[in-house]
Every structure is written in structure tokens, then in C-alpha cells.
Amino acid sequence: MAGGVAAWLPFARAAAIGWMPVASAPMPIPPKDKRKSQEGLIILNVSGTKFQTWKNTLERYPDTLLGSTERDFFFHEETNEYFFDRDPDIFRHILNFYRTGKLHYPRQECISAYDEELAFFGIIPEIIGDCCYEEYKDRRRENAERLQDDEEMDQSNDTTPVNLTPREYLWRAFENPHTSTLALVFYYVTGFFIAISVMANVVETVPCGLMPNRSKELSCGDRYALAFFCLDTACVMIFTFEYLLRLVAAPCRFKFMKSVMSVIDVVAIMPYYIGLVMTDNDQVSGAFVTLRVFRVFRIFKFSRHSAGLRILGYTLKSCASELGFLLFSLTMAIIIFATVMFYAEKGSTASKFTSIPAAFWYTIVTMTTLGYGDMVPKTIVGKVFGSICSLSGVLVIALPVPVIVSNFSRIYHQSQRAEKRRAQRKSRVAKIRAAKIRGTNAYMRYKHSGVMDSVEEASKEAGKLLVSKATSPPFESQHHHLLHCLEKTTNHEFVDEQTFQTNCMEISMMNKAGSRSSSLASSPRLSSCCSRRHRKKSSFSLPSTNNQELSTIQIRERPVVNSRSSLNARLNDDGGMTLKCDASYITPSMVTLSPPAVTSSGGGDGPTGSITYSQSNIVRVSAL
Amino acid sequence: MDGEEQSDSSLRAIAIVVLCCGAVKMLHLMGVISVEDKVDDDLEMTMVCHRPEGLGQLEALTNFNKRELQVLYRGFKNECPSGVVNEDTFKQIYSQFFPHGDASPYAHYLFNAFDTEHSGSIKFEDFVMALSILLRGSVREKLQWTFNLYDINHDGYINKEEMTDIVRAIYDMMGKYTYPALKNDSHKQHVEAFFRKMDKNRDGVVTLDEFILSCQEDENIMRSLQLFENVI
């Protein structure tokens, strides 16, 4: 509150001496100023950029990080300064806040980065000075809208068709025609029929040639009345059907019925039904003719098909105040000029300006620079004011138009950006996914190298070292160790997505294939979740069960992980691991030979074990 | 004929209107009358800058040492970069310390007390000399300064009206929400009590000597005068 003028507190306290003689009660004891050494410089090292200020400056705002004892956590003894590992550019503004009492928002900074810094240093954004507050709020709102857009898109993309009820599915098909071919077909069909209907309305009124025995020109609508009626009926049937479907599918029917599009739909089809009801009654035929005018509203149904049209409508709605101003100023000008013209032309003979309302027409035509010429002033005064009228008309109309145009441009660009973001999203998501996969693959590679460390010597001897251990930084190695611990805890292993999918497919295929290696299958350690049958159907082929020789176990389409897992299993003497296709990880079944003779030690008297693996999913495990 | 007369009269009316507008515009162009506000003049005032005397001189004039003067000047300059405080800024700064009520009346009297030369603005020297008296001065000096504060018209006497104004200004700083609630004549009673204590010869005014004598007799006042000695 008074932090900005904290330097003047001594003065305010001194001035309090003026109250003393007036005071009737004794004064309270002043607080002891314990910290005498407050007069000193503080060094704030923010990512290498050194800031210095008086200690008092920081003490002005004791409920922030720098003003409270919280800054002691950042004290660096060796250099006797306070070190913050944050952005020095934004810190500059934060320090200025302490100095001047005003927080400014730099335009070139990202709004979320700025917010984060403020949150870190314990400063609430509401104290941003008036000069920068508007800009800050605008940027924040924009950012929030963008995030919300992204979230909505996420949600809309995440719902898989499987989980939707038919009603939701229908609604989704209506709202996003691109989700299914049926929806797309329906979309184009309705668009086609809207066009047909509108064109029929137009062509109906074209004169089609003379009827025999009559001198009057007939319009096409009267000549081919039946054909047009059938066409109209067909269109209205389709529109009604569509409207009813939408009504059924809408999640909130009341809200749907209130929406603009549904009103347009109703207005488009109502005249037909009313016409059906009222054909016999001649009295209301005039009203009936008027109703036919409403059929032209069908053209507004195109706004579902065109984003530009929607944007135009939205712009007009958002510019309502500018349009209102335009209308109001025009009305004022029209009344003024019509009055002046009327009185100016009153004297001239045979003047068309019979009354002020009659002069309205002249004024409007002149101000919009139409100039039909059906009403022209004849007196000199009339002509003078007529010219003033047309000049001012240009100005009055030209003023609000740029505002509307800029609004339209802003909204249009916003929607363009939204479209672009949506298109970019897919590639972005794909890239993020790829990065994730690389991360998990890194773990796989670590596992390869880490576990096979001990057998490296053996492989080296055999000269078949195919895997080189990558040196990873301590952070990564600790992370991998953590993942390894998790694997051990749950007795399952991590694999990548592709291998998992292929495994699932392969398992299902194996269901159909014949059984193999029942001897192996009978191993008690082998099991799978899909069904017991799978054990028999797993494609192991053991050319020889000779323990002394190199035996090849070919596991089709299994990840490399198998070999290691078997090794691991050996080392830990684990139980059987289960194969679950619907889980995100896969644990291959363990294969144990009898007697299980795969060891990890390189020692021994002769038998060499070579463990090779290749990405082609053929694993050779040496049996020792 | 009628038509012509009517068109003539309308022509005359329009001509009169046009003439009036032209006359106003001409007068404005000639500078006799000003139609728009002259905002530009205000800007010139704020460009005035004042630098105080040297640190050594100020140290000699006041009872502060160099370090204290440095601290004071830094705070002063921060708030008033031009080197002088005008009354509005003064009121604004003082009001920030008393957000509950309205500190402007009292700040006005304070300003007049600080501005010994009545120039309308306080320079740093005035500021620091007044502070020197208030914080490091002798008892007599302090009491004299306070007397000058109360004596609004500087005639050497404090009468009831002046004291009422001062006390009301002090009460204004309290604001509305007090306990017990402020009544309309709370300050009047306070003034009466003050005069009963200070006005020795009951002549309705308090002179400087009466004031100093009465204050020296009161223990509370003496003690409270020493309250703010270690403020800097």
C-alpha cells in the first residue's frame, strides 16, 4: 500500500510531532529498530546478470519472495550473493517494481513466461500499472482462448466412435461432416437441395412464353405448376427430415431449438406447410403470397456449409454498436437535410418536395451518392444545400465502415489461425509421439547395453559384439535404473507400441495356426493370458534340444526383449510371465530349456555363449 | 409572390446562421476568444528542476550526518524527480500513509509549515531543515515548529478557529469507521480541552510562551516529543 513511498515514512513519522500537543493520552512506545545494518547493497545474480539494489528497496514489499526471508534459500555463500536461475530479462521488470512501485508488462515477452516469473517471485499480476494493464489482460485472454480451443479440439478428437451412443454419433456426424462418409454424403446432398430449391424459387417467376389463346405472359411457375410443386415438396421433405434428425440427435433440444440455424430451418420449411393448410381459403391468399417470400430464407441454410458466411454474420453481430451508430447518424443527417431542402424548395413551382417525408427519399438517394434524378432541386439555395448533403453523406457513411471492416478482418484471421492450428496439430502430435517413442527406445537400448554388460566379454570373445554400450549421462542412467526397478516390481517389461501391436496380431493369428512344440508348451513356466491354447500355438521351433550345442530358438515377431527377459528370468528364477495383448506392455513368455542352461557369466570351460540380437526379431539364445 | 417571399425569408435565415458561425471562427482565429482548452501550458511547469546545495553545506545547516542526508535525498528524489514537491504531490504522498480517511487537510497545513518561504513548493533544503528540527532539534525548537503549524495565519496567536481547523483535520484522517464512532462535535470538545490547558490567562488565544510553558508542564507531551528521534 504505502510501499511505493516507503522512503517517506521517516517524514510522516516526524510530522506526527504536530499531533503531540493535541493528544490527551500518552503515546505508544515506538518499535525497536533492531536491524541497524539495513543500509546495504544486495547483489542479485540472475543467471549471470548481476543486479544490485539497496536492501531497503527489497524490504518494501515483505510479502514477496525478495522482500521476505524466502530469499535466504537462494543465498550463495561462496560469492556472497543471491543467485536465481531465472530469466534476467523479465527479472529486470520485477526489480523495477521494487524500485518504483509500478509493475510494467513488456510487450515482447510471452505472456505465460511472464506469468510464471511473477508467480515465482510472489507478485500478483493485478498490481500491473495502468499503462500496461490493458495490454496484459488482452494478451492473457487471447492465450486462454487459444488454450481452450486446443483443449476442445483435443476432446473432440479423443472421443473414439466406439464409445458413442447412436444419438451422439448422429450429432457428431451432423456437426463435423468429415468424420464419416455417410455424414459427408448427407452434407452435400442437403447443400445440393438447398441450391435446387433456391433456383426453383427464382426460375418460377421468369416469364415462360405465351399460353395459347391468351395474351398475357405466363411465368414458368404458373405454366409448370405441378413440376414446381413436386420439386418444392421434395426439397421440403428433405429439409424436414434433416431438421427432425437434428432435433432428435441434439444433446440439449431446447438450446438447439433456440439457436439461429434451427430458426432459419423452421422459417424455411414453414411456408410450405402453411400453404398446404391454407390453399382453399381465398381471404388469406394475400398473406399466403407473403409467406412465399420467406422461402428465400432457404438460402441462409448455406451458412452451415460456408464458414465465410458464418463469419460475416458473426461480424455483423459483433459490430452491432457501430452499425447502430451509423444508422443513428444517418437518420439525424437525413432529417436535417430533408427539412432544409423542403424549406429551400418550397418556393419553386411544381416542386417535387411536397413534404418533409417526401424529401427523405431525395436525401437518402443523395447521401448514398445514388442520385436517381427523380427528385432534383431547382432553386439555387436548394442546389447549394443539395451539394452539401451529398458531400456529408460520403463522410458519414465512410466513418463506421472501416471499423466494421477491421472487425471482420480480425474475426476472419482468427478463424484462419484456428484452421491452421488444427491442421498443424496433427503433425505436431505425430512429432511429439515420435519424440516419446525415441525416449522409450532409449530405455530399451539402455536395457540392452546395461544388462548385456556382463555378457559383453563373452560376446567380445566370440567377436560378435553387435551392441555397443552407449555412455549416458547420470540423469539418464538414474532414470533408466528407476524404470528397471519398476519392471522388476511388477514382473513385466516395457516394449514399444509397434511390437506390442504386432504381438497381439500375431497371437491372434497363432490361434488359427496349428500347434507347435508341445514339449515346450508343457513347460510349467509358460503361460499366456489369451488362452491356454496359445502355449501350444506359440511358434517355437527347436531344431535340437541339445544343450551342449548352440540352439536357436526362433521366435517369430517377438521383440528382442525376449532374450533378455529369459536371461533375467534365469537370473531371478522368476515365474512365468503372462502375455497380455490389451495391456500397454508385453511380457513374452519365458522359454526354458530343460535343463535351463543359459547363464550370463562368461566363464566356463569351453562353451561359448554368444548372444546376438538383431532388429529382425530372430533371437538366438545360446544354451550352455 | 408568396413563394418568393418565403424563399427570401428562408434565405435570410440561413444567411444569418452562416454569418454567426463565420464571426465566431474569425474571433477564434484572431485569438480574442479561445474555443479549445489550452493544455499545452501545463506541461511547461513540470520541467522545472531544482538541485539542492552540496552535501557538506546541508550537513552544516542541519543536525544530520552525511549518510542520513543521502538516505533522505534518495527517498525525496525518488518521489519527486524534479527536485521540488508541490502541494498536490505532497498531499498524495501523505495520503498514502493514511488510507482510512482523508489526509489532505492536515497535509495542507503541514505543507504550509514546511514551505517557510511560501513559494508554493518545497525544495529539498526546506524539507531537510524541517526534518532536522523535528527529529534532532531541541525541545523549544520542536515546540516552536508545532506552534507555527497551528498558527495558520502566522499572526503569533492561536485562536479557537485555527485550533478547530487543525483538530478537525486530524480527526479527518481517522476516517469514518472508528470505535467509538465519531460524533459531529468530538473535535470541538478536544479543542475546548486544549484551550483549557494551554490558555493560561483565558484571553481566548494562545501565545507562543503560553504554549511552550503549558507543554513543558505536561509529562506526556514531553515524553512523546522524544518519540521519533531514531526514525532515520
Side-chain angles (χ1 to χ4, degrees):
Chain A
M1 183 175 46
V5 288
W8 283 63
L9 186 60
F11 149 71
R13 296 177 78 193
I17 287 185
W19 312 336
M20 298 308 151
V22 178
S24 35
M27 292 288 137
I29 305 170
K32 276 246 172 290
D33 209 8
K34 281 171 283 206
R35 307 162 302 166
K36 276 297 177 180
S37 64
Q38 276 315 95
E39 204 40 52
L41 283 175
I42 264 189
I43 304 176
L44 301 162
N45 188 345
V46 183
S47 305
T49 312
K50 289 214 177 129
F51 295 89
Q52 288 183 323
T53 182
W54 299 106
K55 248 192 207 139
N56 286 344
T57 314
L58 294 182
E59 305 282 317
R60 285 188 197 155
Y61 297 98
D63 55 350
T64 58
L65 186 153
L66 289 172
S68 62
T69 51
E70 196 181 344
R71 65 169 186 243
D72 295 337
F73 287 101
F74 298 93
F75 188 66
H76 192 232
E77 262 121 21
E78 287 99 36
T79 48
N80 202 33
E81 62 191 15
Y82 291 88
F83 185 78
F84 296 95
D85 204 7
R86 311 289 298 187
D87 187 356
D89 292 327
I90 298 181
F91 185 77
R92 192 168 64 85
H93 298 281
I94 291 174
L95 195 53
N96 274 340
F97 165 64
Y98 286 89
R99 292 179 182 139
T100 63
K102 287 192 221 102
L103 182 62
H104 295 280
Y105 169 61
R107 268 155 226 252
Q108 75 271 14
E109 295 291 348
C110 169
I111 184 76
S112 25
Y114 190 74
D115 271 342
E116 270 174 29
E117 294 296 311
L118 284 187
F120 180 82
F121 285 103
I123 297 174
I124 45 172
E126 272 65 34
I127 50 176
I128 288 182
D130 287 334
C131 42
C132 301
Y133 193 62
E134 241 184 78
E135 168 87 15
Y136 173 78
K137 273 289 171 207
D138 281 344
R139 291 276 288 269
R140 213 183 192 185
R141 197 173 20 92
E142 244 183 70
N143 204 34
E145 279 173 7
R146 197 171 302 159
L147 285 176
Q148 212 180 31
D149 270 350
D150 281 348
E151 257 180 44
E152 278 172 14
M153 258 186 307
D154 253 342
Q155 281 168 7
S156 63
N157 288 343
D158 281 349
T159 44
T160 53
V162 183
N163 301 336
L164 291 178
T165 67
R167 180 173 162 183
E168 284 171 1
Y169 181 70
L170 199 60
W171 181 248
R172 195 155 160 269
F174 273 127
E175 292 298 299
N176 308 334
H178 305 280
T179 48
S180 75
T181 25
L182 187 65
L184 207 60
V185 162
F186 193 68
Y187 177 76
Y188 282 124
V189 160
T190 43
F192 175 70
F193 272 98
I194 295 173
I196 290 275
S197 163
V198 169
M199 281 214 306
N201 282 347
V202 166
V203 168
E204 239 178 22
T205 59
V206 170
C208 242
L210 295 166
M211 278 284 279
N213 310 331
R214 298 216 192 168
S215 54
K216 206 176 73 162
E217 190 77 50
L218 272 182
S219 65
C220 281
D222 288 335
R223 192 157 169 189
Y224 303 105
L226 191 61
F228 278 107
F229 180 72
C230 291
L231 194 60
D232 204 23
T233 311
C235 294
V236 169
M237 283 300 118
I238 298 215
F239 296 153
T240 318
F241 178 65
E242 181 205 355
Y243 181 69
L244 288 175
L245 267 187
R246 273 185 209 263
L247 193 62
V248 161
C252 175
R253 298 217 172 100
F254 190 56
K255 197 171 84 146
F256 170 73
M257 277 176 43
K258 280 197 298 187
S259 73
V260 174
M261 291 309 306
S262 111
V263 167
I264 290 177
D265 286 337
V266 169
V267 169
I269 58 181
M270 264 307 137
Y272 177 80
Y273 290 111
I274 296 180
L276 276 184
V277 168
M278 290 203 307
T279 30
D280 306 331
N281 207 336
D282 271 338
Q283 279 175 343
V284 290
S285 66
F288 172 65
V289 167
T290 325
L291 273 178
R292 288 174 82 94
V293 168
F294 281 97
R295 292 189 306 172
V296 80
F297 274 81
R298 285 180 199 163
I299 206 170
F300 283 115
K301 285 167 70 73
F302 267 129
S303 59
R304 274 220 181 88
H305 299 250
S306 157
L309 212 60
R310 276 199 299 272
I311 292 176
L312 188 62
Y314 185 67
T315 310
L316 289 176
K317 198 167 66 158
S318 70
C319 298
S321 63
E322 278 82 29
L323 287 173
F325 164 70
L326 176 63
L327 212 61
F328 179 66
S329 60
L330 266 179
T331 312
M332 257 178 42
I334 286 171
I335 293 178
I336 292 176
F337 278 108
T339 313
V340 168
M341 290 306 294
F342 172 71
Y343 283 112
E345 285 287 305
K346 203 155 172 218
S348 75
T349 51
S351 155
K352 288 247 175 67
F353 295 82
T354 49
S355 65
I356 294 186
F360 280 168
W361 174 243
Y362 167 78
T363 320
I364 292 175
V365 166
T366 312
M367 280 186 92
T368 52
T369 71
L370 273 176
Y372 286 135
D374 55 348
M375 280 166 87
V376 185
K378 294 203 178 57
T379 59
I380 295 183
V381 179
K383 286 187 179 154
V384 164
F385 280 102
S387 40
I388 297 178
C389 173
S390 69
L391 286 173
S392 64
V394 168
L395 281 175
V396 166
I397 291 184
L399 283 176
V401 168
V403 177
I404 299 173
V405 165
S406 77
N407 257 1
F408 178 80
S409 156
R410 180 177 55 89
I411 295 171
Y412 182 70
H413 283 307
Q414 238 175 35
S415 86
Q416 293 280 69
R417 269 205 310 267
E419 286 291 328
K420 231 194 308 181
R421 265 209 308 278
R422 235 167 280 164
Q424 282 170 350
R425 245 192 111 58
K426 295 203 176 119
S427 57
R428 262 186 76 201
V429 163
K431 282 190 196 151
I432 292 172
R433 240 193 201 181
K436 252 200 220 168
I437 287 176
R438 274 200 299 277
T440 52
N441 281 347
Y443 178 55
M444 307 298 178
R445 282 198 296 276
Y446 161 76
K447 283 210 293 183
H448 290 260
S449 56
V451 175
M452 294 210 254
D453 211 3
S454 41
V455 297
E456 243 182 38
E457 290 84 324
S459 24
K460 267 194 195 141
E461 288 169 6
K464 287 191 183 163
L465 179 67
L466 289 186
V467 176
S468 58
K469 177 167 182 235
T471 48
S472 50
F475 171 75
E476 275 211 38
S477 50
Q478 285 166 8
H479 185 217
H480 292 325
H481 175 255
L482 186 65
L483 292 173
H484 206 171
C485 293
L486 181 60
E487 283 182 338
K488 287 278 175 270
T489 312
T490 55
N491 288 336
H492 288 81
E493 284 200 359
F494 293 112
V495 290
D496 57 11
E497 193 181 333
Q498 292 160 318
T499 348
F500 177 72
Q501 303 282 9
T502 43
N503 278 338
C504 272
M505 278 195 306
E506 196 255 345
I507 287 297
S508 57
M509 276 196 304
M510 284 310 112
N511 275 338
K512 303 158 194 162
S515 70
R516 326 267 325 259
S517 318
S518 48
S519 58
L520 270 179
S522 59
S523 156
R525 310 242 185 122
L526 195 64
S527 70
S528 81
C529 80
C530 300
S531 79
R532 303 211 137 243
R533 299 178 277 145
H534 285 179
R535 277 191 243 148
K536 297 179 189 154
K537 293 177 175 125
S538 45
S539 57
F540 302 129
S541 57
L542 265 180
S544 68
T545 48
N546 196 339
N547 296 340
Q548 302 296 327
E549 290 171 11
L550 189 71
S551 48
T552 314
I553 301 177
Q554 283 189 324
I555 306 175
R556 238 191 289 151
E557 299 286 15
R558 283 280 158 80
V560 209
V561 121
N562 281 344
S563 66
R564 295 193 313 284
S565 71
S566 46
L567 279 174
N568 295 344
R570 284 293 306 120
L571 290 170
N572 302 336
D573 209 33
D574 246 344
M577 302 180 218
T578 55
L579 181 69
K580 279 164 113 164
C581 280
D582 50 356
S584 58
Y585 46 79
I586 183 175
T587 316
S589 38
M590 196 196 69
V591 176
T592 56
L593 312 169
S594 53
V598 178
T599 69
S600 58
S601 59
D605 28 73
T608 56
S610 80
I611 299 170
T612 64
Y613 86 93
S614 63
Q615 292 288 10
S616 59
N617 299 333
I618 305 247
V619 177
R620 291 158 209 255
V621 176
S622 75
L624 292 169
Chain B
M1 307 308 134
D2 268 337
E4 281 175 30
E5 278 175 25
Q6 273 172 347
S7 71
D8 275 340
S9 63
S10 65
L11 192 61
R12 244 174 275 144
I14 293 163
I16 288 169
V17 167
V18 170
L19 269 175
C20 285
C21 288
V24 168
K25 190 69 191 169
M26 200 106 66
L27 283 175
H28 169 62
L29 280 174
M30 293 199 302
V32 175
I33 53 174
S34 63
V35 177
E36 305 105 31
D37 297 22
K38 295 234 162 62
V39 188
D40 305 327
D41 294 343
D42 290 336
L43 287 172
E44 292 171 18
M45 283 274 286
T46 53
M47 291 303 131
V48 168
C49 194
H50 175 82
R51 284 202 181 81
E53 305 171 23
L55 199 52
Q57 285 163 302
L58 273 180
E59 196 186 358
L61 282 171
T62 62
N63 301 331
F64 294 120
N65 61 22
K66 277 216 171 84
R67 199 184 58 82
E68 290 164 341
L69 283 171
Q70 280 177 342
V71 170
L72 281 172
Y73 188 66
R74 281 203 291 263
F76 185 85
K77 181 95 179 169
N78 216 12
E79 211 46 46
C80 319
S82 57
V84 291
V85 198
N86 57 7
E87 187 162 344
D88 287 329
T89 319
F90 192 85
K91 279 188 182 162
Q92 215 179 6
I93 295 171
Y94 200 71
S95 304
Q96 294 208 28
F97 293 104
F98 303 100
H100 303 284
D102 181 19
S104 332
Y106 189 68
H108 169 75
Y109 299 129
L110 265 185
F111 186 83
N112 286 339
F114 271 78
D115 186 15
T116 42
E117 293 154 22
H118 306 289
S119 56
S121 61
I122 302 179
K123 302 190 294 292
F124 182 65
E125 290 95 338
D126 304 329
F127 179 74
V128 104
M129 283 201 284
L131 275 186
S132 162
I133 296 174
L134 285 173
L135 298 175
R136 304 284 158 91
S138 67
V139 169
R140 198 190 161 81
E141 284 174 345
K142 288 182 188 171
L143 289 173
Q144 195 157 11
W145 192 89
T146 315
F147 186 85
N148 277 333
L149 174 69
Y150 295 159
D151 185 12
I152 299 174
N153 54 6
H154 302 289
D155 61 353
Y157 301 105
I158 305 178
N159 52 17
K160 275 233 170 82
E161 288 81 24
E162 290 172 340
M163 209 52 219
T164 313
D165 284 339
I166 296 271
V167 174
R168 191 179 2 187
I170 295 178
Y171 273 70
D172 276 344
M173 283 197 284
M174 289 293 295
K176 227 172 25 166
Y177 304 109
T178 56
Y179 177 78
L182 281 172
K183 295 189 278 287
N184 276 343
D185 56 349
S186 313
H187 62 273
K188 287 207 187 86
Q189 292 167 351
H190 212 127
V191 174
E192 293 294 328
F194 177 83
F195 262 83
R196 247 175 285 137
K197 194 164 54 168
M198 300 285 166
D199 192 6
K200 291 277 192 273
N201 55 5
R202 300 270 175 267
D203 59 353
V205 291
V206 180
T207 63
L208 179 61
D209 300 313
E210 282 177 341
F211 183 73
I212 294 178
L213 264 169
S214 318
C215 288
Q216 278 170 335
E217 285 166 9
D218 190 338
E219 280 267 329
N220 282 336
I221 296 180
M222 284 297 113
R223 209 170 339 156
S224 52
L225 283 179
Q226 318 299 329
L227 215 52
F228 296 113
E229 282 199 341
N230 298 325
V231 156
I232 302 253

